[in-house]
Amino acid sequence: LMIKNPEFKKYDLSSLRTGIISGSTISDNQYQRIAKAFKQMQLVPAYGMTEGSTLSTICDVDESENIKMNSAGRPLENVKIRIWNCQKSEEAAPGEVGEIQICGETVMQGYYHMPEKTMASMMEHQWFRTGDAGYMDTKGYLYFKNRITEMIIRGGENIYPREIEEFLYKLDGVKDVQVAGIPSKKYGEAVGAFIILQEGVEMHESDVRDFCKNKISRYKIPKYVFFVKEFPMTGSGKIQKFRLKDLGLQLCKEQGIEII
């Protein structure tokens, strides 16, 4: 939001030394844009949530740009993190995507006056179920994928929106992009891409699909492509992914597109 402010370049940012990138998923492209805009700062990605006393992982300031661009760092002191294979009810192997779970002194004891929600969120030995999908590498770095509820399941195939978003950022003329599942009668869900174009750029839905052909798996190519001016946002500037599905259905109706 700060970068998009037309007055951004008028501000004196020289007193800013460090900063944390967290609170929402960002692509490589977005990270580079943020780092360029705040080039005098030591920016470090992190992962966390309120239930874990805000942060659970963070990158060191002297990490490589590749690590900062892709991972959320390693667990803080006294914080344990594991990736849980929900289908097999066991800990996932390094590199295997599963649910991110946290444990330690920073994790809450439970939701206030909400015993059912607490029971659903806490596993044995106070492991908290974050509801987020990700994986850890052999060096202990955490890689966030997206909220499990945001994962698109198309005909039994699990599709992670962030993977497609990062790919579409490479398409010339794309300023911003979000991917979400659109209900499908045949497959359960289909891939929908919501794209904000750079100023003065014109593009057709077929241009997006042609760009994807033979570069990503066929089932990941967006079935629906919507060019929008903005995304639904919270007051704090986070994109409301859950509203994209309804927006997609609304745009299909307005444009006379049949849901199949």
Side-chain angles (χ1 to χ4, degrees):
L1 288 178
M2 286 188 283
I3 292 173
K4 292 178 181 178
N5 185 342
E7 303 284 312
F8 178 77
K9 292 184 178 180
K10 295 182 179 180
Y11 287 90
D12 180 8
L13 308 178
S14 60
S15 64
L16 300 178
R17 296 182 297 106
T18 60
I20 293 173
I21 299 178
S22 188
S24 182
T25 57
I26 62 169
S27 66
D28 294 1
N29 180 279
Q30 288 173 310
Y31 174 85
Q32 291 170 343
R33 282 163 54 195
I34 294 171
K36 183 178 179 181
F38 295 93
K39 56 187 175 183
Q40 84 285 0
M41 297 178 64
Q42 290 276 17
L43 292 173
V44 286
Y47 168 82
M49 55 179 51
T50 302
E51 291 89 340
S53 299
T54 309
L55 293 185
S56 297
T57 73
I58 196 168
C59 276
D60 291 332
V61 293
D62 57 356
E63 294 283 9
S64 69
E65 283 302 299
N66 184 57
I67 290 292
K68 290 181 180 179
M69 202 183 311
N70 294 289
S71 84
R74 289 184 282 196
L76 297 173
E77 188 176 355
N78 298 324
V79 176
K80 297 178 181 178
I81 290 186
R82 71 181 183 184
I83 306 299
W84 193 250
N85 185 319
C86 297
Q87 286 72 37
K88 297 181 179 179
S89 295
E90 63 183 26
E91 195 165 347
E96 180 184 347
V97 176
E99 182 183 45
I100 301 171
Q101 297 184 355
I102 58 177
C103 180
E105 298 173 358
T106 62
V107 178
M108 68 168 191
Q109 295 181 353
Y111 292 102
Y112 186 62
H113 285 178
M114 301 174 71
E116 292 84 6
K117 187 173 182 180
T118 299
M119 188 175 297
S121 301
M122 289 292 188
M123 297 184 69
E124 79 289 348
H125 309 302
Q126 291 299 103
W127 280 100
F128 176 73
R129 305 187 61 183
T130 66
D132 292 331
Y135 69 92
M136 295 185 76
D137 65 16
T138 55
K139 295 182 179 179
Y141 289 95
L142 176 69
Y143 294 79
F144 177 86
K145 300 294 285 187
N146 52 253
R147 294 287 297 169
I148 290 176
T149 53
E150 294 170 359
M151 184 170 65
I152 302 169
I153 303 177
R154 178 191 180 277
E157 295 281 0
N158 293 342
I159 301 173
Y160 296 98
R162 183 179 178 184
E163 178 184 348
I164 304 174
E165 290 165 0
E166 290 182 348
F167 176 77
L168 291 177
Y169 269 114
K170 299 175 184 177
L171 176 58
D172 289 340
V174 171
K175 181 179 180 180
D176 213 342
V177 59
Q178 289 292 312
V179 170
I182 306 298
S184 167
K185 297 176 183 177
K186 184 176 182 180
Y187 294 106
E189 284 186 302
V191 178
F194 299 79
I195 297 174
I196 297 176
L197 295 174
Q198 295 175 1
E199 189 174 352
V201 172
E202 293 185 5
M203 192 178 296
H204 192 270
E205 292 92 333
S206 59
D207 297 326
V208 177
R209 299 191 188 97
D210 289 343
F211 177 74
C212 296
K213 286 180 180 177
N214 301 318
K215 296 176 185 173
I216 60 174
S217 300
R218 287 184 61 187
Y219 66 88
K220 296 179 182 179
I221 297 176
K223 171 72 175 176
Y224 304 99
V225 178
F226 307 105
F227 297 107
V228 297
K229 297 296 184 183
E230 59 184 6
F231 303 128
M233 310 281 278
T234 66
S236 61
K238 292 183 182 180
I239 296 170
Q240 295 178 304
K241 280 264 192 182
F242 68 94
R243 290 181 57 191
L244 290 176
K245 183 178 294 186
D246 291 336
L247 176 60
L249 290 174
Q250 176 187 328
L251 291 173
C252 283
K253 184 177 181 180
E254 292 175 359
Q255 297 172 19
I257 300 173
E258 183 182 1
I259 298 294
I260 58 174

